[in-house]
Amino acid sequence: MSKKDDILEAALKIFTELGTKAASTKSIAQEAQVSEALIFKYFKSKDNLIEEILKSGYREATRLVSTHLEYKSPTDYISNLLDLPKILVLANKYFWQMQYKIMPLNSMAVAHHQLFMKPCYDYLIKAFADLGYRKPILEAEILLLFIEGLWKHIAANEFDVEHIEAITYLTKKKYGLIL
């Protein structure tokens, strides 16, 4: 790994533990075993460092779900979207734990998340409309509230995969996606 990667990894760890407000570039430098000046050389500011972690995390998330969330049919799309929290959080737990911690106080984190979720919202409305739901926009909002809550719950707690799958399975069953 490069020094820049060491800094990003250390920053993710520190931001996950302390949040972005409480974390200092000094503590990140100590964790990465680099000088604080090197952090500023690569990133110019703590906000730029946060931004790079967010961009990287959402690039990885987009890569993970790009084929998983193709719209083939409305039921497949809804079913696959319900798998999203498990897939994302388990694949990059520290990033999603950091996101869980910083989103309430960080508009940059919120903006990246909204941008990532926007296509899901649009396709979810289409899926519910295609299935003949009377209020597809409200149905999409309800399901997205559940998905948001589920990824946050997974990120904030230690659950085994079977428990997460049981929650997802029950939700799919309630929507008639599983017989």
Side-chain angles (χ1 to χ4, degrees), residues 73-90:
S73 75
T75 54
D76 281 347
Y77 186 79
I78 295 168
S79 181
N80 289 342
L81 191 61
L82 285 165
D83 292 330
L84 193 64
K86 178 186 81 169
I87 291 168
L88 293 177
V89 177
L90 296 181

Side-chain angles (χ1 to χ4, degrees), residues 43-155:
F43 301 102
K44 309 292 184 238
S45 70
K46 186 166 93 169
D47 282 344
N48 287 352
L49 178 57
I50 295 165
E51 177 85 19
E52 182 59 35
I53 291 171
L54 290 168
K55 284 179 181 178
S56 176
Y58 280 108
R59 271 193 306 269
E60 175 65 16
T62 300
R63 188 190 64 72
L64 276 171
V65 301
S66 62
T67 57
H68 189 75
L69 288 182
E70 288 178 7
Y71 193 95
K72 296 173 185 163
S73 75
T75 54
D76 281 347
Y77 186 79
I78 295 168
S79 181
N80 289 342
L81 191 61
L82 285 165
D83 292 330
L84 193 64
K86 178 186 81 169
I87 291 168
L88 293 177
V89 177
L90 296 181
N92 196 353
K93 192 163 184 172
Y94 289 123
F95 172 75
W96 291 101
Q97 286 176 331
M98 181 196 82
Q99 255 310 63
Y100 169 74
K101 268 192 176 169
I102 72 170
M103 272 182 69
L105 302 172
N106 189 303
S107 60
M108 194 178 354
V110 171
H112 278 280
H113 190 69
Q114 287 173 339
L115 186 63
F116 174 72
M117 291 303 294
K118 175 73 170 104
C120 298
Y121 177 67
D122 295 339
Y123 279 118
L124 200 50
I125 292 170
K126 177 181 174 13
F128 282 120
D130 289 351
L131 290 171
Y133 279 76
R134 286 182 359 157
K135 297 185 177 183
I137 292 171
L138 287 176
E139 292 291 345
E141 289 173 1
I142 290 168
L143 194 60
L144 285 177
L145 284 170
F146 172 78
I147 289 167
E148 286 287 315
L150 184 56
W151 83 254
K152 290 175 181 176
H153 199 63
I154 296 168

